[in-house]
Amino acid sequence: MNYKIRNISSDSSFLEMLDVLNEELILSNDEPVAFDHDCREGICGCCSLYINGRPHGPDEKITVCQLHMRKFKDGDKIVIEPWRARPFPVIKDLIVDRTAFDKIIMEGGYISVNTGNAPDANAITIPKENADLAFDAATCIGCGACVAACKNASAMLFVSAKVSQFALLPQGKLEAKQRVDAMISKMDELGFGNCSNTGACEAECPKGISLTNIARINREYIKASSF
């Protein structure tokens, strides 16, 4: 469908522009455009869209809700699409079903801990470098931009981030073998492709998740397979 929209402030966010469009459509008794959103603070990843051929649009390390209309010129034609990946079936218009990511997490994205009294902060010593890398991996919001950017629709960056945040910490060692086996197996079962090694996933990730996590998950998988 083609829509014309006018008088949009350059300070408006992309989602605010879609809100205005939908208000106009509703007032005209037309069907509004369905799109997903929640926090609008770049935290939840719900607002995932392809905009002019790029996941999350023409800016670096942002989600769609953080994209502003000043990135476009008056009269620009903006092409908006849902994620293009078989494991993310389209529900309606711009909304896709990303429960495939939830299923991968359910296979091994957890740790076993003693749920008694909270331990002292320094009870388990962790090298700062490892802690920093684990926190960096944990910033993944599961938006699916890595899958959308990959020509093979690979989920390796997402899965590697979830594996890495535990693989780097002593608390994650107990289920290490089962975790990497189960999560990779579920990823393959759900139809995600193999890593394309182009780096498109890292380039389009709104949180800048590093490709080094993919190298780490490969090492973890080899170690797990050697037992």
Side-chain angles (χ1 to χ4, degrees), residues 35-191:
F35 64 95
D36 209 353
H37 63 93
D38 191 4
C39 72
R40 299 202 178 200
E41 294 179 349
I43 297 172
C44 68
C46 288
C47 58
S48 306
L49 298 173
Y50 240 107
I51 301 170
N52 288 348
R54 286 191 63 181
H56 293 299
D59 208 345
E60 305 297 325
K61 295 184 179 180
I62 61 159
T63 52
V64 174
C65 60
Q66 296 171 304
L67 177 66
H68 286 82
M69 295 308 295
R70 53 179 169 268
K71 282 291 178 178
F72 304 93
K73 298 177 182 177
D74 287 346
D76 275 356
K77 181 177 181 179
I78 303 173
V79 179
I80 312 172
E81 304 167 86
W83 281 166
R84 309 167 189 163
R86 185 163 61 88
F88 294 154
V90 176
I91 297 173
K92 183 179 180 181
D93 296 342
L94 302 174
I95 302 176
V96 300
D97 183 352
R98 290 178 297 159
T99 55
F101 273 5
D102 296 330
K103 293 176 181 178
I104 293 173
I105 292 295
M106 290 169 64
E107 286 298 309
Y110 58 87
I111 60 171
S112 294
V113 295
N114 185 341
T115 57
N117 294 333
D120 293 335
N122 61 351
I124 301 176
T125 56
I126 301 169
K128 185 178 186 304
E129 181 182 359
N130 286 9
D132 289 344
L133 290 172
F135 275 120
D136 288 345
T139 60
C140 170
I141 58 176
C143 67
C146 51
V147 175
C150 179
K151 62 183 181 181
N152 293 340
S154 173
M156 277 294 280
L157 192 66
F158 166 76
V159 180
S160 67
K162 300 307 177 184
V163 168
S164 287
Q165 71 186 69
F166 296 132
L168 288 159
L169 302 175
Q171 294 92 336
K173 300 301 182 185
L174 185 60
E175 292 94 2
K177 179 183 183 299
Q178 300 97 309
R179 177 183 302 113
V180 70
D181 278 342
M183 294 180 78
I184 288 179
S185 295
K186 180 57 70 173
M187 175 183 69
D188 292 341
E189 177 191 322
L190 291 168

